[in-house]
Amino acid sequence: MTEAQGGIRGWAVARKGVWSRLRFTSLRLRLVVVFALVALTAAVSASGIAYWLNREAVLTRTQDAVLRDFQQEMQNRAGALPENPTQDELQHTAGQMANSSQRFSVLLVAEDASGRTVYGNSGALDSFTLKDVPASLRKAVNKEQPVNGGNKSPYHLYWQRVVEHDTPFLVAGTKVIGGGPTGYMLKSLEPEAKDLNSLAWSLGIATGLALIGSALLAQAAATTVLKPVHRLGIAARRLGEGKLDTRLRVSGTDELADLSRTFNKTAEALEKRVADMAARDEASRRFVADMSHELRTPLTAITAVTEVLEEELETESGSMDPMIEPAVRLVVSETRRLNDLVENLMEVTRFDAGTARLVLDDVDIADQITACIDARAWLDAVELDAERGIHARLDPRRLDVILANLIGNALKHGGSPVRVAVRLAEDELVIKVRDHGPGIPEDVLPHVFDRFYKASASRPRSEGSGLGLSIALENAHIHGGEITAANFPEGGAVFTLRLPRDASALTERPPGGDEGKKGDA
């Protein structure tokens, strides 16, 4: 059963590959179609011209021979008849004329001695009669032309091609000069038509063979041209995947070889540029990490001193000089802010270095949100809409960081009350944090998760570090989730956190584990 399924999948993949090469947007198909159209146009034009020339040559040669023989017979035999012949004489003469080398049917028309119109028929072609002669031809034959310097005969030979029952015929007629019968001739052109049909079939077969040959040549040419292009596409795709050491094999001196060389030079320059940027980025991250660690030691001592000063401020003994009390409060506040900034920088450094890890546990979402709000004394300003018993396997510390940043941002920049709603969507946990403030300006909305972004350039200093929402987003990403920001239609901003209910699969591989392998396209 497995082998059968594998065979079906292989056939489906092969068919998909064929259709992908023959899709209407494919350059290969367009090349084949263009070659085929050019070959078809050339072959049809050449065949049409050849057929027309041969047709005219065959028909003209046969026609001239028949008309020449008929005219000679009219002069020799019909001209020898008396002016008023009998029907028997006409019949006998018509039979003699029909036995000429061209084998045509003859009809003679004359008046006997009593003035009655008599006919003489050779008897061939189903009794050739006057009805078989077109009226226009009869009129032209019987019309007497004026004799002058340019016209020495009152009567001439006229002919016309007609088709009866899909068979072509040549009809001709003339009148004996000086008095005598009028003669008509009927000659079948069926043998010539068959020869022309055979010629048409031959030209059609030649056109078809030319079309097939052009398609094969186009396929060969397309393969020759598109194979390097296909290799270039694969190399470009690998380059886009981060495999910057991808290079093309260069052979030849044509334009495609020049394109391959240009690609290799571009890839080499890009690899060097990315390596330089990665080195600078690594140096920057290392600098931030080192500075954060270095700052923690003096900051710990400063924090201890500020805690002592803060206790002095809270005592009622009045030992603190009122003149320096504002300065002490400022030092305490700024020390806390500096401490938060250092902690955030260290957290960002761990994300950038790829060392952040999940420590998963079964979490009751409602209890987790309640604990986060209670720990920060936000119970009076936050409304919670979450059912008990909604469990998820997440990192509780990182979830607390996400919630603290989202709710704290809503309280700081939005308006109370802040509402936190929890919903389940299949295997996904959806937490929405909404405030009742003025909302987020449309030009700020795309940048709310950027590091150190300030909504107002004229107020670069604020109580926050500009890293809170960025750290929240990174913590959502490490869970395999996402955070989006939008404005609520009724007013206020709303942040939507989406997390999987079970992030266990993400702990089986390191985050950001893009592996690059060398390759040669």
Side-chain angles (χ1 to χ4, degrees):
M1 184 67 179
T2 304
E3 292 181 358
Q5 291 177 349
I8 293 174
R9 284 196 297 268
W11 175 80
V13 170
R15 187 180 67 173
K16 183 178 180 181
V18 171
W19 279 111
S20 66
R21 289 194 297 269
L22 294 180
R23 63 186 186 275
F24 289 105
T25 57
S26 169
L27 182 59
R28 181 188 301 272
L29 180 59
R30 282 184 283 175
L31 283 173
V32 172
V33 170
V34 169
F35 268 76
L37 289 177
V38 171
L40 182 62
T41 302
V44 168
S45 301
S47 299
I49 294 173
Y51 177 79
W52 182 79
L53 292 176
N54 280 277
R55 178 179 181 274
E56 289 300 316
V58 169
L59 293 179
T60 301
R61 184 171 58 251
T62 303
Q63 175 182 293
D64 291 346
V66 172
L67 293 178
R68 187 167 52 250
D69 196 17
F70 173 65
Q71 191 171 23
Q72 186 175 359
E73 291 293 328
M74 285 293 295
Q75 292 176 355
N76 295 337
R77 298 188 183 275
L81 289 172
E83 186 175 353
N84 299 109
T86 62
Q87 184 172 0
D88 293 337
E89 291 174 335
L90 289 178
Q91 194 77 20
H92 177 71
T93 303
Q96 290 179 332
M97 293 173 64
N99 289 328
S100 67
S101 60
Q102 296 299 323
R103 298 295 178 179
F104 44 72
S105 298
V106 178
L107 173 65
L108 296 177
V109 182
E111 291 184 358
D112 59 8
S114 62
R116 183 170 58 90
T117 302
V118 293
Y119 302 90
N121 194 309
S122 61
L125 292 177
D126 297 329
S127 299
F128 178 39
T129 64
L130 201 59
K131 293 181 180 179
D132 299 322
V133 180
S136 58
L137 181 62
R138 296 199 304 266
K139 183 178 179 182
V141 168
N142 292 317
K143 184 177 181 180
E144 185 177 359
Q145 302 292 333
V147 179
N148 50 41
N151 181 30
K152 298 181 179 181
S153 176
Y155 299 102
H156 298 277
L157 175 66
Y158 296 94
W159 59 270
Q160 186 174 343
R161 294 175 193 166
V162 297
V163 178
E164 293 290 340
H165 306 294
D166 297 329
T167 302
F169 292 94
L170 176 65
V171 183
T174 187
K175 193 176 184 65
V176 176
I177 301 173
T182 301
Y184 297 98
M185 176 275 299
L186 181 67
K187 170 67 176 179
S188 174
L189 299 177
E190 186 174 5
E192 288 75 14
K194 290 181 178 180
D195 292 341
L196 292 174
N197 288 336
S198 299
L199 176 62
W201 274 103
S202 300
L203 293 175
I205 293 173
T207 300
L209 293 176
L211 184 61
I212 295 173
S214 67
L216 295 177
L217 289 175
Q219 174 68 14
T223 301
T224 303
V225 173
L226 295 182
K227 188 175 180 180
V229 175
H230 179 66
R231 289 169 49 196
L232 180 62
I234 294 176
R237 189 159 51 249
R238 293 169 63 117
L239 199 64
E241 293 171 354
K243 302 171 184 176
L244 301 180
D245 56 350
T246 302
R247 299 292 185 271
L248 287 170
R249 292 190 300 270
V250 181
S251 60
T253 58
D254 57 4
E255 289 80 359
L256 292 174
D258 292 339
L259 181 61
S260 299
R261 293 189 186 92
T262 303
F263 175 86
N264 289 340
K265 291 179 181 177
T266 303
E268 183 178 357
L270 180 61
E271 184 180 17
K272 185 177 182 302
R273 180 68 62 85
V274 171
D276 293 342
M277 292 177 63
R280 287 196 296 268
D281 189 50
E282 178 63 25
S284 299
R285 286 200 302 266
R286 189 165 54 250
F287 173 77
V288 173
D290 293 342
M291 287 299 298
S292 300
H293 282 286
E294 291 295 329
L295 285 172
R296 292 193 72 179
T297 301
L299 189 59
T300 302
I302 295 173
T303 302
V305 174
T306 54
E307 288 177 355
V308 173
L309 293 175
E310 190 174 11
E311 290 177 359
E312 290 291 332
L313 288 173
E314 293 176 355
T315 61
E316 297 179 357
S317 61
S319 59
M320 180 69 67
D321 187 346
M323 296 295 293
I324 65 172
E325 182 177 342
V328 172
R329 293 187 181 277
L330 179 61
V331 169
V332 171
S333 174
E334 290 300 312
T335 301
R336 287 177 179 171
R337 183 172 178 271
L338 181 59
N339 196 20
D340 292 340
L341 177 60
V342 170
E343 291 296 329
N344 287 338
L345 286 174
M346 293 185 66
E347 185 73 6
V348 168
T349 303
R350 283 191 287 269
F351 281 119
D352 290 343
T355 59
R357 296 290 184 268
L358 291 174
V359 180
L360 301 180
D361 195 4
D362 290 327
V363 178
D364 186 303
I365 302 302
D367 291 344
Q368 180 73 22
I369 298 176
T370 302
C372 175
I373 297 172
D374 187 30
R376 293 162 179 82
W378 291 340
L379 287 175
D380 295 337
V382 178
E383 296 178 357
L384 178 60
D385 178 15
E387 297 181 3
R388 298 287 178 179
I390 299 178
H391 290 268
R393 186 163 180 78
L394 302 168
D395 188 327
R397 185 186 71 83
R398 296 188 182 278
L399 179 59
D400 181 78
V401 171
I402 296 173
L403 294 172
N405 279 292
L406 294 181
I407 298 173
N409 182 78
L411 290 171
K412 186 184 300 180
H413 301 287
S416 298
V418 171
R419 189 170 186 270
V420 181
V422 180
R423 296 290 183 269
L424 285 178
E426 296 182 355
D427 292 332
E428 189 178 54
L429 179 68
V430 181
I431 301 176
K432 292 189 177 183
V433 179
R434 180 196 170 192
D435 61 53
H436 290 76
I440 304 173
E442 292 298 327
D443 58 332
V444 176
L445 200 57
H447 305 285
V448 292
F449 296 105
D450 293 351
R451 296 177 183 178
F452 302 106
Y453 180 77
K454 303 293 183 180
S456 176
S458 62
R459 298 176 61 188
R461 180 176 177 82
S462 64
E463 294 182 4
S465 63
L467 292 173
L469 291 179
S470 174
I471 291 175
L473 182 63
E474 294 288 352
N475 279 295
H477 286 169
I478 200 174
H479 279 90
E482 186 61 68
I483 304 177
T484 56
N487 288 316
F488 210 75
E490 285 78 11
V494 57
F495 287 80
T496 303
L497 169 66
R498 298 180 183 273
L499 297 175
R501 292 194 66 182
D502 189 354
S504 300
L506 297 174
T507 61
E508 299 175 0
R509 58 179 175 83
D514 293 335
E515 298 179 359
K517 296 181 179 180
K518 291 186 178 181
D520 186 15

